[in-house]
Amino acid sequence: MASPSVVDVVILHGGELSSDVATRIATEVSPLVGGSSHMHQISMSKSKQFKEALVEDTDGLAKPTTLAIFVAQTIENEAPPEEGGSCIRFFKRKTHPATLLSGKAQFAVLGLGDSNLLLDRQHTSAKDCNQVAKALDSRLEALGGARFCNRGEADERTGLTEVEPWIEMLVNKIKSC
């Protein structure tokens, strides 16, 4: 099924690294959706803001033409950074109905990890150090969310070289809607 046109974009980020990447994404995507009035960056630590925007719809953004991009960072012990914790914990709650995100914003997830933090650094890559993004991506879908594009996974050890191709894929998908 084709994705609806993207009118508004909400980028959620938690942590310094994810904030920098969110800014890079916003720079590329903003011109495609009519500029800054349709582009919103929200820290994952601001639970009231992201709930209002994506779940409760007090901002008028919880609609299929909104794309929510989660830039999810994994740090040691498969955990999000402190700034991203409240958002990740909110979506992990088992008490949410399976329809929490149905008919609301589409989502995309970009994971940022660091395989230097893993014991076996010789045989690891981005797919091994992005547990937070993997879990969030699965959970958003389980809550009825509509995936806009495939999850991206980047590794800080390799200079986050996977970020630019993912942003390019995202931009092309937005253009094609």
Side-chain angles (χ1 to χ4, degrees):
M1 185 170 102
S3 299
S5 296
V6 174
V7 176
D8 292 288
V9 174
V10 177
I11 303 175
L12 296 106
H13 55 85
E16 187 176 330
L17 179 61
S18 64
S19 178
D20 293 345
V21 172
T23 300
R24 287 166 57 192
I25 294 169
T27 300
E28 295 292 326
V29 172
S30 183
L32 304 175
V33 295
S36 61
S37 63
H38 295 279
M39 176 66 58
H40 313 272
Q41 285 194 56
I42 301 173
S43 171
M44 288 183 175
S45 66
K46 308 286 187 201
S47 59
K48 183 177 180 183
Q49 283 183 311
F50 72 74
K51 287 180 209 172
E52 287 177 350
L54 301 177
V55 179
E56 298 164 3
D57 197 22
T58 56
D59 295 347
L61 293 172
K63 57 187 183 272
T65 57
T66 296
L67 172 58
I69 302 170
F70 293 83
V71 183
Q73 191 172 345
T74 301
I75 58 172
E76 294 181 73
N77 301 320
E78 302 179 3
E82 187 175 333
E83 298 90 347
S86 63
C87 179
I88 302 300
R89 285 188 300 275
F90 173 78
F91 285 110
K92 283 175 104 174
R93 287 184 192 156
K94 299 294 184 195
T95 56
H96 289 314
T99 58
L100 181 73
L101 299 175
S102 294
K104 297 184 179 168
Q106 303 171 75
F107 73 89
V109 177
L110 173 61
L112 306 175
D114 187 352
S115 61
N116 281 318
L117 302 175
L118 303 174
L119 292 176
D120 181 16
R121 289 186 280 278
Q122 299 299 323
H123 302 94
T124 57
S125 65
K127 68 179 179 54
D128 301 308
C129 59
N130 280 289
Q131 297 87 349
V132 171
K134 288 176 187 177
L136 178 62
D137 186 71
S138 296
R139 187 65 180 148
L140 294 171
E141 186 174 47
L143 292 171
R147 180 178 285 108
F148 182 75
C149 63
N150 292 334
R151 177 182 66 245
E153 296 176 347
D155 185 353
E156 198 170 355
R157 178 174 59 116
T158 60
L160 300 174
T161 56
E162 304 88 352
V163 170
E164 290 307 319
W166 187 85
I167 294 173
E168 185 177 318
M169 181 267 308
L170 177 74
V171 165
N172 288 335
K173 180 95 190 249
I174 292 171
K175 286 179 180 177
S176 71
C177 289

PDB file of all heavy atoms in Angstrom, residues 89-102:
ATOM      1  N   ARG A  89      10.430   4.405  27.158  1.00  0.00           N
ATOM      2  CA  ARG A  89       9.619   3.733  28.183  1.00  0.00           C
ATOM      3  C   ARG A  89       8.122   3.926  27.929  1.00  0.00           C
ATOM      4  O   ARG A  89       7.331   3.014  28.135  1.00  0.00           O
ATOM      5  CB  ARG A  89       9.993   4.234  29.579  1.00  0.00           C
ATOM      6  CG  ARG A  89      11.317   3.693  30.081  1.00  0.00           C
ATOM      7  CD  ARG A  89      11.566   4.043  31.547  1.00  0.00           C
ATOM      8  NE  ARG A  89      11.595   5.469  31.788  1.00  0.00           N
ATOM      9  CZ  ARG A  89      12.666   6.252  31.630  1.00  0.00           C
ATOM     10  NH1 ARG A  89      13.801   5.722  31.234  1.00  0.00           N
ATOM     11  NH2 ARG A  89      12.612   7.548  31.895  1.00  0.00           N
ATOM     12  N   PHE A  90       7.721   5.112  27.471  1.00  0.00           N
ATOM     13  CA  PHE A  90       6.313   5.364  27.180  1.00  0.00           C
ATOM     14  C   PHE A  90       5.799   4.375  26.137  1.00  0.00           C
ATOM     15  O   PHE A  90       4.751   3.753  26.329  1.00  0.00           O
ATOM     16  CB  PHE A  90       6.099   6.803  26.686  1.00  0.00           C
ATOM     17  CG  PHE A  90       4.700   7.055  26.213  1.00  0.00           C
ATOM     18  CD1 PHE A  90       3.672   7.260  27.119  1.00  0.00           C
ATOM     19  CD2 PHE A  90       4.400   7.057  24.858  1.00  0.00           C
ATOM     20  CE1 PHE A  90       2.366   7.466  26.688  1.00  0.00           C
ATOM     21  CE2 PHE A  90       3.107   7.265  24.413  1.00  0.00           C
ATOM     22  CZ  PHE A  90       2.086   7.462  25.325  1.00  0.00           C
ATOM     23  N   PHE A  91       6.506   4.227  25.045  1.00  0.00           N
ATOM     24  CA  PHE A  91       6.027   3.333  23.990  1.00  0.00           C
ATOM     25  C   PHE A  91       6.165   1.856  24.358  1.00  0.00           C
ATOM     26  O   PHE A  91       5.453   1.019  23.802  1.00  0.00           O
ATOM     27  CB  PHE A  91       6.717   3.647  22.659  1.00  0.00           C
ATOM     28  CG  PHE A  91       6.197   4.899  22.024  1.00  0.00           C
ATOM     29  CD1 PHE A  91       6.981   6.037  21.954  1.00  0.00           C
ATOM     30  CD2 PHE A  91       4.900   4.962  21.529  1.00  0.00           C
ATOM     31  CE1 PHE A  91       6.489   7.205  21.388  1.00  0.00           C
ATOM     32  CE2 PHE A  91       4.398   6.125  20.958  1.00  0.00           C
ATOM     33  CZ  PHE A  91       5.187   7.243  20.890  1.00  0.00           C
ATOM     34  N   LYS A  92       7.042   1.512  25.305  1.00  0.00           N
ATOM     35  CA  LYS A  92       7.200   0.115  25.731  1.00  0.00           C
ATOM     36  C   LYS A  92       6.102  -0.351  26.685  1.00  0.00           C
ATOM     37  O   LYS A  92       5.961  -1.547  26.913  1.00  0.00           O
ATOM     38  CB  LYS A  92       8.557  -0.073  26.422  1.00  0.00           C
ATOM     39  CG  LYS A  92       9.723  -0.146  25.472  1.00  0.00           C
ATOM     40  CD  LYS A  92      11.024  -0.218  26.236  1.00  0.00           C
ATOM     41  CE  LYS A  92      11.595  -1.598  26.229  1.00  0.00           C
ATOM     42  NZ  LYS A  92      12.930  -1.658  26.844  1.00  0.00           N
ATOM     43  N   ARG A  93       5.325   0.571  27.230  1.00  0.00           N
ATOM     44  CA  ARG A  93       4.298   0.188  28.205  1.00  0.00           C
ATOM     45  C   ARG A  93       3.374  -0.887  27.645  1.00  0.00           C
ATOM     46  O   ARG A  93       2.830  -0.756  26.560  1.00  0.00           O
ATOM     47  CB  ARG A  93       3.443   1.391  28.598  1.00  0.00           C
ATOM     48  CG  ARG A  93       4.152   2.357  29.468  1.00  0.00           C
ATOM     49  CD  ARG A  93       3.202   3.473  29.891  1.00  0.00           C
ATOM     50  NE  ARG A  93       3.962   4.553  30.493  1.00  0.00           N
ATOM     51  CZ  ARG A  93       3.554   5.804  30.547  1.00  0.00           C
ATOM     52  NH1 ARG A  93       2.379   6.153  30.062  1.00  0.00           N
ATOM     53  NH2 ARG A  93       4.310   6.716  31.099  1.00  0.00           N
ATOM     54  N   LYS A  94       3.174  -1.916  28.423  1.00  0.00           N
ATOM     55  CA  LYS A  94       2.311  -3.031  28.013  1.00  0.00           C
ATOM     56  C   LYS A  94       0.827  -2.692  28.140  1.00  0.00           C
ATOM     57  O   LYS A  94      -0.019  -3.396  27.630  1.00  0.00           O
ATOM     58  CB  LYS A  94       2.623  -4.288  28.843  1.00  0.00           C
ATOM     59  CG  LYS A  94       4.040  -4.773  28.688  1.00  0.00           C
ATOM     60  CD  LYS A  94       4.309  -5.268  27.295  1.00  0.00           C
ATOM     61  CE  LYS A  94       5.718  -5.829  27.204  1.00  0.00           C
ATOM     62  NZ  LYS A  94       6.164  -6.012  25.852  1.00  0.00           N
ATOM     63  N   THR A  95       0.513  -1.586  28.821  1.00  0.00           N
ATOM     64  CA  THR A  95      -0.891  -1.217  29.031  1.00  0.00           C
ATOM     65  C   THR A  95      -1.498  -0.474  27.841  1.00  0.00           C
ATOM     66  O   THR A  95      -2.706  -0.264  27.808  1.00  0.00           O
ATOM     67  CB  THR A  95      -1.034  -0.337  30.289  1.00  0.00           C
ATOM     68  OG1 THR A  95      -0.179   0.809  30.152  1.00  0.00           O
ATOM     69  CG2 THR A  95      -0.648  -1.121  31.536  1.00  0.00           C
ATOM     70  N   HIS A  96      -0.682  -0.103  26.860  1.00  0.00           N
ATOM     71  CA  HIS A  96      -1.214   0.600  25.692  1.00  0.00           C
ATOM     72  C   HIS A  96      -2.050  -0.346  24.841  1.00  0.00           C
ATOM     73  O   HIS A  96      -1.678  -1.509  24.652  1.00  0.00           O
ATOM     74  CB  HIS A  96      -0.081   1.152  24.811  1.00  0.00           C
ATOM     75  CG  HIS A  96       0.645   2.309  25.402  1.00  0.00           C
ATOM     76  ND1 HIS A  96       0.029   3.386  25.988  1.00  0.00           N
ATOM     77  CD2 HIS A  96       1.973   2.578  25.463  1.00  0.00           C
ATOM     78  CE1 HIS A  96       0.923   4.252  26.393  1.00  0.00           C
ATOM     79  NE2 HIS A  96       2.128   3.778  26.100  1.00  0.00           N
ATOM     80  N   PRO A  97      -3.149   0.142  24.283  1.00  0.00           N
ATOM     81  CA  PRO A  97      -3.935  -0.696  23.372  1.00  0.00           C
ATOM     82  C   PRO A  97      -3.173  -0.909  22.060  1.00  0.00           C
ATOM     83  O   PRO A  97      -2.351  -0.066  21.666  1.00  0.00           O
ATOM     84  CB  PRO A  97      -5.206   0.120  23.139  1.00  0.00           C
ATOM     85  CG  PRO A  97      -4.794   1.535  23.377  1.00  0.00           C
ATOM     86  CD  PRO A  97      -3.734   1.475  24.456  1.00  0.00           C
ATOM     87  N   ALA A  98      -3.458  -1.983  21.372  1.00  0.00           N
ATOM     88  CA  ALA A  98      -2.799  -2.291  20.102  1.00  0.00           C
ATOM     89  C   ALA A  98      -3.153  -1.280  19.022  1.00  0.00           C
ATOM     90  O   ALA A  98      -2.548  -1.276  17.951  1.00  0.00           O
ATOM     91  CB  ALA A  98      -3.163  -3.700  19.648  1.00  0.00           C
ATOM     92  N   THR A  99      -4.106  -0.410  19.296  1.00  0.00           N
ATOM     93  CA  THR A  99      -4.541   0.601  18.330  1.00  0.00           C
ATOM     94  C   THR A  99      -4.061   2.008  18.681  1.00  0.00           C
ATOM     95  O   THR A  99      -4.525   2.980  18.082  1.00  0.00           O
ATOM     96  CB  THR A  99      -6.076   0.606  18.243  1.00  0.00           C
ATOM     97  OG1 THR A  99      -6.595   0.860  19.565  1.00  0.00           O
ATOM     98  CG2 THR A  99      -6.609  -0.718  17.717  1.00  0.00           C
ATOM     99  N   LEU A 100      -3.147   2.134  19.629  1.00  0.00           N
ATOM    100  CA  LEU A 100      -2.693   3.445  20.107  1.00  0.00           C
ATOM    101  C   LEU A 100      -2.286   4.370  18.957  1.00  0.00           C
ATOM    102  O   LEU A 100      -2.594   5.560  18.967  1.00  0.00           O
ATOM    103  CB  LEU A 100      -1.527   3.295  21.084  1.00  0.00           C
ATOM    104  CG  LEU A 100      -0.983   4.594  21.678  1.00  0.00           C
ATOM    105  CD1 LEU A 100      -1.969   5.153  22.712  1.00  0.00           C
ATOM    106  CD2 LEU A 100       0.373   4.374  22.311  1.00  0.00           C
ATOM    107  N   LEU A 101      -1.608   3.841  17.960  1.00  0.00           N
ATOM    108  CA  LEU A 101      -1.095   4.670  16.863  1.00  0.00           C
ATOM    109  C   LEU A 101      -1.850   4.470  15.548  1.00  0.00           C
ATOM    110  O   LEU A 101      -1.486   5.054  14.530  1.00  0.00           O
ATOM    111  CB  LEU A 101       0.396   4.387  16.653  1.00  0.00           C
ATOM    112  CG  LEU A 101       1.298   4.686  17.853  1.00  0.00           C
ATOM    113  CD1 LEU A 101       2.730   4.253  17.571  1.00  0.00           C
ATOM    114  CD2 LEU A 101       1.240   6.152  18.217  1.00  0.00           C
ATOM    115  N   SER A 102      -2.892   3.667  15.561  1.00  0.00           N
ATOM    116  CA  SER A 102      -3.659   3.405  14.338  1.00  0.00           C
ATOM    117  C   SER A 102      -4.277   4.684  13.800  1.00  0.00           C
ATOM    118  O   SER A 102      -4.890   5.449  14.532  1.00  0.00           O
ATOM    119  CB  SER A 102      -4.772   2.390  14.604  1.00  0.00           C
ATOM    120  OG  SER A 102      -4.230   1.147  14.928  1.00  0.00           O
TER     121      SER A 102
END
